[in-house]
């Protein structure tokens, strides 16, 4: 079975500081990896995805993530955060032969303070 | 091109009533997924449907929950005889293909409160 673990439930940071949100996954088959952002009372918006190729993936809003197969990790980073980045962030995997369904981590609440 | 539309956005039901949640996928999308988000938790997969077919319902509770995606009209998630534990946000996502490398687009969710 596949699983996704987000190691931090809450991450408080100051504006303009760098941030890393950690994600580890477990799977015996190949997966694709995604990061979604959820603003309060909203749906999920795709930040970025790793399908193949370069292990460093760039997404929207200045976010990037690095796929590390040996460590089964897909950590999300931003060099300088803004107040508007305050939101819940979800790491997810989709698994071959399972028709595109996503398995989500528990989420990380990013709180950016002035 | 309108996004994934879910309605209602908020739904209040008394224990024992039925809840019907609707999801209209993006134009051209024939694959629909339903997820449930309990308070303080991530999203959990419930069911995956194509037009007129249930492809994967491995995440659906065995009783009281059902889903359909008819040839015409929105996908419906039905919860019969709701209980307090059904209170959650229910999200629908759609994609043009049911493959692992295709982005799924999410609706804004229906927040169900059972009183």
């Amino acid at each position: 079975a596949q699983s996704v673990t987000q190691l931090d439930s809450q991450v408080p940071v100051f504006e303009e500081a760098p941030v890393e949100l950690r994600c580890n996954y477990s799977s015996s088959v190949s997966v694709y990896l995604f990061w979604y952002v959820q603003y309060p009372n909203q749906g999920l918006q795709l930040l970025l995805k790793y399908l193949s190729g370069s292990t460093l993936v760039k997404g929207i809003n200045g976010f990037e993530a690095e796929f590390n197969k040996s460590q089964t990790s897909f950590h999300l980073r931003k060099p300088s955060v803004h107040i508007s980045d305050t939101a819940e962030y979800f790491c997810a995997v989709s698994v071959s032969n399972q028709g595109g369904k996503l398995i989500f981590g528990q989420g990380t609440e990013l709180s950016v303070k002035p | 091109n309108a996004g994934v539309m879910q309605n209602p956005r908020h739904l209040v039901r008394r224990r024992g009533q039925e809840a019907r949640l609707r999801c209209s996928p993006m134009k051209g999308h024939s694959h629909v997924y339903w997820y449930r988000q309990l308070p303080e938790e991530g999203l959990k997969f419930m069911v995956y449907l194509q037009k007129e077919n249930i492809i994967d319902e491995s995440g659906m509770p065995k009783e009281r929950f059902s889903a359909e995606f008819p040839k015409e009209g929105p996908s419906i998630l039905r919860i019969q005889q709701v209980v307090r534990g059904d209170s959650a946000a229910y999200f629908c996502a759609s994609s043009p293909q049911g493959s692992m490398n295709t982005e799924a687009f999410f609706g804004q969710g229906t927040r169900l409160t059972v009183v």
Side-chain angles (χ1 to χ4, degrees), chain A residues 7-67:
Chain A
L7 297 161
D8 307 295
S9 59
Q10 294 180 322
V11 174
V13 293
F14 287 105
E15 194 174 18
E16 298 183 9
V19 70
E20 178 179 82
L21 306 183
R22 297 180 292 169
C23 172
N24 286 87
Y25 69 93
S26 171
S27 177
S28 58
V29 297
S30 60
V31 298
Y32 290 163
L33 296 148
F34 303 80
W35 274 99
Y36 283 86
V37 59
Q38 183 183 30
Y39 298 102
N41 296 317
Q42 299 293 315
L44 277 71
Q45 180 182 4
L46 181 67
L47 275 178
L48 49 79
K49 59 185 176 183
Y50 173 76
L51 303 181
S52 64
S54 172
T55 57
L56 183 63
V57 180
K58 294 191 183 297
I60 63 171
N61 301 340
F63 284 93
E64 63 181 32
E66 185 156 19
F67 171 58

Side-chain angles (χ1 to χ4, degrees), chain A residues 87-105:
Chain A
E88 188 93 20
Y89 291 80
F90 292 97
C91 181
V93 302
S94 68
V95 182
S96 59
N97 301 323
Q98 292 196 21
K101 82 179 188 187
L102 295 168
I103 299 167
F104 285 89

Side-chain angles (χ1 to χ4, degrees), chain A residues 30-32 34 36 38 41-44 46 49 51 90 94-102 104-106, chain B residues 9 33 35 37 40-45 48 56 58 91 98-104 106-109 111:
Chain A
S30 60
V31 298
Y32 290 163
F34 303 80
Y36 283 86
Q38 183 183 30
N41 296 317
Q42 299 293 315
L44 277 71
L46 181 67
K49 59 185 176 183
L51 303 181
F90 292 97
S94 68
V95 182
S96 59
N97 301 323
Q98 292 196 21
K101 82 179 188 187
L102 295 168
F104 285 89
Q106 303 91 321
Chain B
R9 290 290 308 277
Y33 307 81
Y35 294 85
Q37 184 179 30
E40 309 299 325
E41 293 187 18
L43 281 77
K44 303 289 187 190
F45 168 78
Y48 162 37
D56 181 349
S58 59
F91 290 94
S99 60
M100 59 186 284
N101 63 347
T102 305
E103 178 183 350
F106 282 80
Q108 293 190 308
R111 281 154 181 83

Side-chain angles (χ1 to χ4, degrees), chain B residues 5-58:
Chain B
M5 303 300 292
Q6 289 189 250
N7 67 82
R9 290 290 308 277
H10 300 274
L11 182 62
V12 179
R13 284 288 177 265
R14 296 186 186 280
R15 282 178 295 171
Q17 289 185 318
E18 178 179 286
R20 282 196 178 210
L21 289 62
R22 295 174 184 77
C23 169
S24 295
M26 288 181 69
K27 187 176 181 180
H29 288 192
S30 59
H31 299 256
V32 166
Y33 307 81
W34 285 93
Y35 294 85
R36 176 165 64 174
Q37 184 179 30
L38 294 168
E40 309 299 325
E41 293 187 18
L43 281 77
K44 303 289 187 190
F45 168 78
M46 299 182 75
V47 62
Y48 162 37
L49 310 105
Q50 269 186 281
K51 285 285 188 180
E52 299 184 276
N53 289 305
I54 296 175
I55 307 301
D56 181 349
E57 56 181 348
S58 59

